[in-house]
Amino acid sequence: MKLNRRKFVRNGISLGLLFSLPGSISAKSSGISDNPDNIFEIIKSRRSVRKFKSDPIPKEDLNSILEAANNAPSPRNRQDWKFLVVNWREILDQIKEECIKRSGENSREYFTDYLSAPLYIIILANTNTRNPDNDIIAGALAAENLFLAARALGYGTVFCANSIPEEVTRQALNIPENYKRLCITPVGVPSEWPACPEKKSLQEVVYYNSII
Ligand SMILES: Cc1cc2nc3c(=O)[nH]c(=O)nc-3n(C[C@H](O)[C@H](O)[C@H](O)COP(=O)(O)O)c2cc1C
């Protein structure tokens, strides 16, 4: 049964209990909710995903995800970022083949999985500004907004920095030199939701009033 994920996330009702969604089998078996409906659940259940089903992303879902990214904080509200959506299979295959060429034929399966999502979003920050470091930070915040919105709608993402080298996408997509690629992220229905990797406890990372 195909359901409009956005609608029931919007309504704040977790229908995951009532219906089985495409792409939800392993989510269910791993106890991960298909449609987390509060911010803490969304944050906790976001996972880096590196293998996808081919289900297309409806335009309205893509727009919601991009809106979330575009609403991130930025220095003086400059929003000096660009979100480059790539969904032409031909270009994605070209990127895949270039990655395999650089990493060796035994990486074919890895990159075939990695490039299996229906679309990819490249987050670019303008470095030709007064304080490019801050614009880069803002781009990273936009990335997290994007990931969380995608997760709320049932899609997997990953902050891909090095796995797909920046130069590969720069050449394939003619990205101007003054735009730094912060990440390229797939957006797609996960082939399965990975388990949560072990995270440090708060005791290990939180300090009060002094770091010593
Ligand atoms: C700055 C940064 C760079 C990353 N680069 C890559 C990358 O090149 N390839 C990749 O597959 N994942 C990359 N990741 C994803 C991390 O591996 C992932 O977030 C981490 O293992 C924790 O898993 P989780 O996101 O499911 O919590 C990157 C994450 C960050 C924040």
Side-chain angles (χ1 to χ4, degrees):
M1 176 174 233
K2 184 104 180 134
L3 284 173
N4 181 338
R5 288 160 215 216
R6 195 161 75 126
K7 231 182 216 161
F8 57 78
V9 170
R10 263 216 188 129
N11 293 342
I13 304 163
S14 183
L15 296 184
L17 293 170
L18 301 176
F19 301 106
S20 162
L21 286 171
S24 67
I25 304 148
S26 27
K28 272 220 166 90
S29 56
S30 61
I32 297 169
S33 166
D34 288 315
N35 299 96
D37 57 12
N38 79 64
I39 187 71
F40 297 103
E41 210 190 321
I42 291 164
I43 289 169
K44 276 211 149 181
S45 65
R46 179 209 55 80
R47 286 280 68 77
S48 291
V49 177
R50 300 177 179 86
K51 187 175 180 182
F52 301 88
K53 300 187 174 201
S54 57
D55 308 35
I57 312 291
K59 186 89 182 136
E60 56 171 4
D61 284 1
L62 175 60
N63 281 343
S64 300
I65 291 166
L66 292 168
E67 279 287 352
N70 196 37
N71 268 285
S74 65
R76 292 177 176 260
N77 199 32
R78 269 203 298 272
Q79 298 176 276
D80 222 333
W81 46 50
K82 302 272 183 243
F83 306 109
L84 175 57
V85 180
V86 186
N87 59 4
W88 285 353
R89 201 64 247 176
E90 205 177 308
I91 295 182
L92 295 173
D93 284 345
Q94 189 188 323
I95 291 170
K96 178 179 83 179
E97 290 303 327
E98 184 57 32
C99 289
I100 294 168
K101 201 169 124 194
R102 288 170 179 235
S103 299
E105 196 52 39
N106 57 1
S107 65
R108 179 165 293 281
E109 191 182 338
Y110 176 78
F111 285 111
T112 301
D113 289 346
Y114 216 107
L115 274 302
S116 58
L119 68 84
Y120 289 72
I121 300 174
I122 296 179
I123 302 184
L124 300 165
N126 189 359
T127 52
N128 202 5
T129 66
R130 227 198 252 173
N131 190 344
D133 284 355
N134 277 354
D135 289 295
I136 289 169
I137 291 168
L141 297 175
E144 181 67 351
N145 270 16
L146 186 158
F147 297 158
L148 295 178
R151 178 63 193 96
L153 296 173
Y155 302 114
T157 53
V158 59
F159 191 112
C160 174
N162 299 328
S163 296
I164 299 175
E166 181 173 7
E167 212 34 50
V168 171
T169 43
R170 191 175 292 287
Q171 281 171 12
L173 295 153
N174 290 319
I175 296 169
E177 282 300 325
N178 64 304
Y179 279 96
K180 177 167 176 53
R181 191 198 73 177
L182 303 183
C183 70
I184 170 168
T185 178
V187 179
V189 176
S191 155
E192 59 179 45
W193 282 104
C196 181
E198 199 175 320
K199 300 281 181 182
K200 290 180 181 174
S201 69
L202 285 188
Q203 282 90 328
E204 292 172 274
V205 296
V206 177
Y207 294 79
Y208 288 90
N209 305 316
S210 164
I211 194 83
I212 305 162

